[in-house]
């Protein structure tokens, strides 16, 4: 039996990721005006990871038949949008783009989305009545 991914749930999770992660990315760029990463950069990075978990969690709660794939795809889809905007911005500014960094951060987004899905599944399992 194949379980389909709920595209509406993916879109919801991805929208939450973009809505919160994009301003965090902009804040990080502003904080790195001199090129150095500081405390605000670390806060933006950790906040972005949390946002991927939250986006995955929200997507998984809307798709109980396929929570893991839905949550991971939601976080990854949100990351792709934010990364594309970031690549365009860096290209316009004349800064270099690291494919390795993009791929690594994509894996982090995917993993955080899975964590959100696992948390949603675990919570749903506790709320379900036991036979």
């Amino acid at each position: 039996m194949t379980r389909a991914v709920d595209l509406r749930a993916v879109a919801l999770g991805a929208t939450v990721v973009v809505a919160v992660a994009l301003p965090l990315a902009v804040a990080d760029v502003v904080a790195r005006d001199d090129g150095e990463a500081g405390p605000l950069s670390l806060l933006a990075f950790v906040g972005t990871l949390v946002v991927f978990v939250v986006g995955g969690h929200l997507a998984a709660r809307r798709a109980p038949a396929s929570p893991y794939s839905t949550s991971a795809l939601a976080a990854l889809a949100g990351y792709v949008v934010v990364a594309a905007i970031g690549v365009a911005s860096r290209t316009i500014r004349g800064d270099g783009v690291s494919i390795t960094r993009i791929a690594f951060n994509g894996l982090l987004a995917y993993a955080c989305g899975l964590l959100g899905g696992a948390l949603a599944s675990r919570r749903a399992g506790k709320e379900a009545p036991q036979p």
Side-chain angles (χ1 to χ4, degrees):
M1 177 164 101
T2 304
R3 295 182 180 166
V5 172
D6 186 344
L7 294 180
R8 287 184 181 180
V10 170
L12 171 73
T15 301
V16 168
V17 167
V18 171
V20 180
L22 194 55
L24 287 173
V26 170
D28 184 41
V29 169
V30 170
R32 290 177 185 246
D33 193 30
D34 60 353
E36 290 291 320
L40 187 58
S41 292
L42 177 62
L43 187 63
F45 179 72
V46 172
T48 302
L49 294 180
V50 170
V51 168
F52 291 135
V53 174
V54 169
H57 185 270
L58 290 173
R61 289 189 58 191
R62 301 276 189 292
S66 58
Y68 295 111
S69 54
T70 302
S71 62
L73 286 174
L76 191 58
Y79 172 74
V80 166
V81 171
V82 173
I85 293 169
V87 166
S89 171
R90 291 182 69 83
T91 303
I92 290 169
R93 290 192 321 258
D95 295 341
V97 176
S98 170
I99 299 300
T100 305
R101 180 177 285 170
I102 292 169
F104 179 74
N105 288 337
L107 287 173
L108 280 177
Y110 185 83
C112 288
L114 279 176
L115 176 59
L119 293 173
S121 287
R122 183 176 175 138
R123 183 171 184 207
K126 287 184 179 181
E127 292 173 357
Q130 299 296 328

